[in-house]
Amino acid sequence: MCGIALSAGPEADPAIFRRMLAVLSPRGEVTETRQEAGLLAGVRRLRIVDRDRAVQPFTSADGRYVLCYNGEVFNHHELRAELTRAGHPFRTTSDTEVVLAAFLRWGERAVHRLRGEWAFAVAERATGRVYLARDPLGVKPLYWARTPGCLHVASEVKALVGLRAPVDEVPPGHHGWADPDGRVELAAYLDLLALGAGLPEVDDPDEAALLVRAAISDSIRMRVDTDLTVGVVLSGGLDSSLALLHVRELHPDCVAVTVGVPDSPDVAYARRLAADLGVPHEVVQLRPRDIRLADVREAIRISELTEYGDIINAVVTVPIFRRLHEMGIKVVLTGDGSDELFGGYPMYHQVGPDRARRLFLHKIRNLCRTELQRVDRASMGHGVEARVPFLDLSVVELAMRLPLALKMRDGQEKWIVRRAFADVLPDYIRRRPKNPMSYSSGLHERARLYKPFFSRLHRRFGYDLLEPVRRDFDSVLTRCGNDLDRAIADGLARPDYTVLEHARDLVGAAKWNAAPLVRRLVGPRPTRGAPVR
């Protein structure tokens, strides 16, 4: 994975381009550029596949196209074999070269052949046109902005805010061409919400369990195809535990990493599982008082997130990837996406099936700017590649075909996933209920104390050039009785919290944070001479 930057057009400025690329430096290990009149292209490359030869920007053999690529295409071996049979010669064993070869062979239809997590830009040197494309779920980011005579493309908003121009996003599942004269024409190549349409519903529990197990296992298998150590972000919940169980069986060198206060549920469950599996386990122990305004500011700077709850989760997530970077781990798996796909949220089960499906589709469509953005920025902000096996397109398509009755049964969320892996999951993991990330780590209320500062800090970094901070949509949805149309209208009418709402929230957070101090002040004192434990 990488950070990419590109400036195309007659007014492309080398000084601006260098600043853009420098901002993206945490996303990789080496800086690689190609600079010529009207085209400045560069990559901050994290060396994962064919580390010595996959040098970017990657130029086609005839010199016509230049590729800047961020991500991993996990079926690159199969695509390479097919392209080789078609007569395409290869200079490397990298997926980077496969992406460009696929584009040369199949043109814009190549995006339908790529299985993975990716975003890329292909510049046509003779015309200055740039082809932009992003994976169907939006796991990897891609943004663009315009100044007179120049198109600028980058992996993160922070690389473009210095232009003081509006920033636009390449939406998930979209691709198209940007011309030097200012036109950017993008279109959907895949309708994410129509996945599985026309295929029969899988309503038999036995069949569904077999299919879920096969899809998730295969997705994880593809994502551990590396000679590097593989880390797993382990909360001790169902999804991250499944990831660790698979990685331990599939890869000879793995490690688990957990964040939380020492007595938090996440730390307790994760310690037990890692010990039972004999997997090395690193615990990033934080106490609530360890989280300060500077940590919140850094989480906002890194994450660029636009909802308060996501920012709180980023505050908790950043220390995990900081530690992974310190450990020299470059590839990790996470359990993100399973809750959205398999019924891990109460809202799915509080309304009828039709409304539940609309809520489900809304969640999937917005993952790119919530969970996935948090994971990408927090990981790549520390030079770590995070892979999300539960959001492989094959898993998403299968989840679209499962009725809600298989996702929630007997009061248990993600029932079909638990059933699919019942023979390999420890009972204490299989029966553990879902807990939101920041809550189960024991750090949510401390981060919440700083919520009144989030919007101001976000603006200070210039991220409002893309989008301002907004109220948490899930809380709006709850107040609207899980009526999606009402919630969307309410969010448009009043995007941010009022001063009174902030004040109430601050009082609640202050009470929670003051409680330990009060207990220490009014609690019984140790008897003189008695040992203090």
Side-chain angles (χ1 to χ4, degrees):
M1 300 230 176
C2 309
I4 66 176
L6 183 145
S7 294
E11 299 301 320
D13 186 329
I16 292 175
F17 168 74
R18 285 193 298 270
R19 287 195 294 269
M20 289 168 53
L21 198 53
V23 169
L24 299 173
S25 61
R27 294 184 70 96
E29 304 161 285
V30 294
T31 299
E32 298 164 346
T33 63
R34 180 187 181 110
Q35 302 185 46
E36 55 192 62
L39 178 61
L40 310 173
V43 176
R44 181 68 177 171
R45 182 164 65 96
L46 185 63
R47 295 179 290 188
I48 303 290
V49 182
D50 198 354
R51 295 184 282 277
D52 294 329
R53 295 185 297 167
V55 178
Q56 293 195 53
F58 206 94
T59 306
S60 60
D62 60 5
R64 180 180 177 183
Y65 293 108
V66 173
L67 168 70
C68 292
Y69 162 59
N70 168 35
E72 296 288 344
V73 169
F74 300 118
N75 63 334
H76 69 95
H77 297 299
E78 295 86 344
L79 292 176
R80 176 188 304 278
E82 182 177 352
L83 290 162
T84 299
R85 289 193 297 270
H88 186 92
F90 283 91
R91 294 169 274 165
T92 74
T93 59
S94 70
D95 60 325
T96 301
E97 187 174 10
V98 169
V99 170
L100 184 55
F103 176 77
L104 295 175
R105 174 73 177 175
W106 298 303
E108 296 177 27
R109 292 177 289 112
V111 291
H112 297 284
R113 310 293 296 272
L114 308 179
R115 182 180 178 184
E117 306 159 359
W118 44 265
F120 61 87
V122 178
E124 187 175 43
R125 294 174 60 216
T127 65
R129 296 197 311 155
V130 180
Y131 174 72
L132 306 173
R134 188 179 180 192
D135 69 68
L137 272 294
V139 180
K140 291 290 102 184
L142 195 61
Y143 301 92
W144 60 274
R146 279 211 169 275
T147 55
C150 192
L151 169 75
H152 307 274
V153 178
S155 293
E156 298 185 13
V157 179
K158 60 178 65 70
L160 299 171
V161 295
L163 302 172
R164 302 300 178 199
V167 178
D168 287 282
E169 181 179 21
V170 176
H174 281 62
H175 67 159
W177 289 90
D179 294 330
D181 63 5
R183 290 179 299 170
V184 178
E185 297 182 352
L186 303 175
Y189 63 83
L190 181 143
D191 183 358
L192 183 64
L193 305 188
L195 277 179
L199 296 174
E201 185 178 75
V202 183
D203 55 6
D204 178 76
D206 293 332
E207 180 187 6
L210 288 172
L211 291 173
V212 166
R213 181 163 180 153
I216 292 175
S217 298
D218 182 61
S219 179
I220 295 174
R221 177 190 60 79
M222 295 192 78
R223 285 164 173 78
V224 297
D225 180 21
T226 177
D227 60 342
L228 299 172
T229 301
V230 175
V232 176
V233 177
L234 180 66
S235 69
L238 174 66
D239 312 312
S240 62
S241 297
L242 275 176
L244 183 62
L245 283 162
H246 280 80
V247 174
R248 175 182 173 273
E249 293 299 317
L250 294 167
H251 199 279
D253 183 12
C254 68
V255 61
V257 181
T258 305
V259 67
V261 302
D263 58 351
S264 67
D266 279 5
V267 170
Y269 278 97
R271 281 193 191 281
R272 183 177 178 183
L273 181 65
D276 287 350
L277 296 178
V279 172
H281 187 210
E282 184 78 8
V283 178
V284 183
Q285 291 196 34
L286 294 174
R287 297 186 182 275
R289 64 175 178 269
D290 295 330
I291 294 178
R292 302 180 181 275
L293 181 60
D295 301 299
V296 173
R297 181 186 297 111
E298 179 65 358
I300 291 173
R301 185 195 68 79
I302 290 174
S303 70
E304 307 173 350
L305 288 160
T306 58
E307 288 193 20
Y308 289 86
D310 293 322
I311 292 172
I312 290 175
N313 285 339
V315 173
V316 177
T317 304
V318 164
I320 297 175
F321 291 104
R322 183 183 298 127
R323 181 64 59 85
L324 283 162
H325 175 77
E326 293 167 354
M327 296 168 63
I329 308 293
K330 293 198 290 186
V331 175
V332 302
L333 269 62
T334 81
D336 292 280
S338 178
D339 288 324
E340 287 77 9
L341 294 180
F342 295 107
Y345 292 104
M347 69 177 72
Y348 292 160
H349 317 293
Q350 296 167 352
V351 297
D354 291 340
R355 287 175 63 187
R357 181 164 181 80
R358 287 196 67 209
L359 293 173
F360 165 68
L361 296 175
H362 177 85
K363 272 282 188 184
I364 299 302
R365 183 167 45 207
N366 282 275
L367 274 172
C368 62
R369 63 171 194 80
T370 54
E371 295 292 314
L372 291 178
Q373 182 167 322
R374 173 182 58 80
V375 171
D376 173 80
R377 302 301 195 281
S379 60
M380 295 304 292
H382 295 90
V384 177
E385 174 179 311
R387 301 175 176 180
V388 285
F390 286 94
L391 291 174
D392 190 273
L393 206 58
S394 64
V395 180
V396 177
E397 182 178 281
L398 176 58
M400 296 283 199
R401 298 171 58 200
L402 299 178
L404 191 62
L406 293 184
K407 298 179 181 182
M408 167 68 85
R409 179 172 288 195
D410 301 326
Q412 190 171 61
E413 84 285 349
K414 294 185 283 190
W415 179 85
I416 192 61
V417 179
R418 297 174 198 273
R419 168 150 182 189
F421 294 97
D423 61 321
V424 297
L425 279 169
D427 193 60
Y428 59 90
I429 296 294
R430 188 168 61 87
R431 295 183 181 277
R432 184 186 178 188
K434 162 69 180 172
N435 285 306
M437 174 191 172
S438 56
Y439 287 93
S440 55
S441 69
L443 298 167
H444 176 93
E445 292 297 326
R446 178 65 179 188
R448 176 181 163 219
L449 191 63
Y450 298 101
K451 277 180 69 175
F453 298 101
F454 289 3
S455 183
R456 185 185 309 170
L457 290 170
H458 186 272
R459 289 194 304 272
R460 191 169 295 171
F461 288 119
Y463 298 155
D464 55 325
L465 287 168
L466 175 68
E467 191 175 12
V469 168
R470 63 179 73 174
R471 288 183 293 164
D472 292 312
F473 188 77
D474 284 354
S475 64
V476 176
L477 197 58
T478 300
R479 283 199 296 272
C480 292
N482 292 318
D483 185 317
L484 184 59
D485 293 325
R486 280 182 56 202
I488 290 172
D490 187 84
L492 292 173
R494 186 161 55 91
D496 203 352
Y497 294 111
T498 65
V499 173
L500 179 60
E501 286 173 321
H502 271 309
R504 288 173 179 168
D505 191 63
L506 180 60
V507 169
K511 285 181 178 178
W512 187 93
N513 282 275
L517 176 61
V518 172
R519 286 195 294 268
R520 288 196 296 271
L521 291 175
V522 303
R525 296 178 181 276
T527 304
R528 181 174 293 180
V532 178
R533 299 185 184 276

